[in-house]
Amino acid sequence: SQCTEEAASGVVQSYTVTVVNNGPITAPDAVIKIPIPAERQLILSNPSTGSYSGSTNLWNVGQLTNGQSETLDITIRL
């Protein structure tokens, strides 16, 4: 199935992405790809740990121990 979303140009949207390590071992160098569609502009990214690059769409989380969760807040403009 396909999901379509219609919103007026200039609308600002915010998202929270959560990553959880369900174990049983530590992820030593976690990297998550969070693509931003080309027609949208990244305004703000706020990771609870690590860094997010809008140019590569990669969230470099770093080490995630068993049971650990981290979040990335993203704000984009259409």
Side-chain angles (χ1 to χ4, degrees):
S1 78
Q2 183 175 351
C3 178
T4 60
E5 177 181 301
E6 294 198 23
S9 179
V11 169
V12 174
Q13 298 176 325
S14 296
Y15 299 91
T16 298
V17 178
T18 301
V19 63
V20 179
N21 180 353
N22 290 322
I25 63 172
T26 295
D29 214 5
V31 178
I32 312 296
K33 184 167 187 150
I34 315 228
I36 305 294
E39 65 275 5
R40 287 163 170 73
Q41 173 191 13
L42 178 66
I43 297 173
L44 176 69
S45 62
N46 185 24
S48 60
T49 190
S51 61
Y52 177 77
S53 170
S55 61
T56 63
N57 297 319
L58 295 177
W59 176 18
N60 290 300
V61 178
Q63 180 174 293
L64 273 177
T65 59
N66 182 16
Q68 181 180 355
S69 66
E70 298 294 342
T71 60
L72 170 64
D73 296 322
I74 295 176
T75 303
I76 61 173
R77 179 177 296 131
L78 285 92

